[in-house]
Amino acid sequence: TQLLEQSPQFLSIQEGENLTVYCNSSSVFSSLQWYRQEPGEGPVLLVTVVTGGEVKKLKRLTFQFGDARKDSSLHITAAQPGDTGLYLCAEIANAGGTSYGKLTFGQGTILTVHP
Amino acid sequence: DAGVTQSPTHLIKTRGQQVTLRCSPKSGHDTVSWYQQALGQGPQFIFQYYEEEERQRGNFPDRFSGHQFPNYSSELNVNALLLGDSALYLCASSLGARADTQYFGPGTRLTVL
């Protein structure tokens, strides 16, 4: 079973600061997704990365997939209080090139952005 | 267009009891996956239903069972509840066999006393 490690576990910053959270694995990811979860809600998909070295941007969020597809990072520029939440990375189980939609999640990074 | 809905929102049970949680998928979706999320942890995959059959299962005991109905809605049943079953139970819906873009419901918070 793929184990995903996220770091840091907790992050508390002031509005306007930049931050990076990481997701690592001991083996190669087939494809990786990042989610954000707010209290009382389910996770919401932010991005899917598939190709090694891939970089995707979503407004102030930048997602990178490592060249070897064993790590990924999420960078937030000029964080805002609305960015507060639990950030989760997840791998989609892939058997023989077909995704069966079984997500394996990391333990998450709890981000708090203070006004 | 309604998203994924789950009921009930909160539930309190005692050890040994049985519970049934319900999920209605996003309109047009035919695949439902269930996850358990303990406090401070990421969700863990329980099982997935497609075409009314359990297609794959995570590392959960047989006390956890499910069902998918012809309208694609789904139920999660847990028998002989343990204190450790206290968690947020999330349902996610998706379209087709690949199921690689999943939409999560708000979850059911189960507390076992």
Side-chain angles (χ1 to χ4, degrees), chain B residues 71-84:
Chain B
N71 67 353
Y72 306 123
S73 67
S74 178
E75 289 182 348
L76 164 65
N77 301 292
V78 187
N79 294 323
L81 285 167
L82 304 173
L83 296 179

Side-chain angles (χ1 to χ4, degrees), chain A residues 12-82:
Chain A
S12 179
I13 62 172
Q14 294 297 127
E15 182 176 2
E17 293 183 5
N18 301 331
L19 66 113
T20 303
V21 298
Y22 301 92
C23 177
N24 295 284
S25 171
S26 57
S27 52
V28 174
F29 291 116
S30 53
S31 59
L32 190 79
Q33 296 182 327
W34 284 92
Y35 290 80
R36 182 172 73 199
Q37 184 178 19
E38 298 184 24
E41 301 292 331
V44 174
L45 178 64
L46 297 174
V47 76
T48 300
V49 287
V50 178
T51 306
E54 186 174 4
V55 177
K56 286 191 173 180
K57 292 192 175 184
L58 182 65
K59 297 182 181 178
R60 293 177 293 100
L61 279 60
T62 302
F63 304 87
Q64 288 190 302
F65 201 18
D67 290 339
R69 292 166 56 208
K70 296 176 69 174
D71 59 274
S72 181
S73 65
L74 158 59
H75 181 80
I76 301 179
T77 303
Q80 299 176 1

Side-chain angles (χ1 to χ4, degrees), chain A residues 9 33 35 37 40-45 48 86 88 92-93 97-108 110, chain B residues 33 35 37 40-45 48 55-59 88 90 97-107:
Chain A
Q9 189 174 354
Q33 296 182 327
Y35 290 80
Q37 184 178 19
E41 301 292 331
V44 174
L45 178 64
T48 300
L86 174 67
L88 295 158
I92 305 171
T98 301
S99 166
Y100 289 99
K102 173 185 172 182
L103 295 173
T104 300
F105 285 89
Q107 82 275 23
I110 298 174
Chain B
S33 303
Y35 294 82
Q37 186 175 24
Q41 300 294 318
Q44 282 193 292
F45 177 79
Q48 182 184 83
R55 186 164 66 166
Q56 52 183 330
R57 187 180 184 92
N59 188 25
L88 180 68
L90 295 162
R98 285 184 59 86
D100 53 4
T101 299
Q102 300 187 21
Y103 295 81
F104 284 82

Side-chain angles (χ1 to χ4, degrees), chain B residues 34 47 49 54 57 64-68 74-77:
Chain B
W34 286 92
F47 43 52
Y49 280 86
E54 183 182 296
R57 187 180 184 92
F64 289 77
S65 63
H67 188 77
Q68 186 178 35
S74 178
E75 289 182 348
L76 164 65
N77 301 292

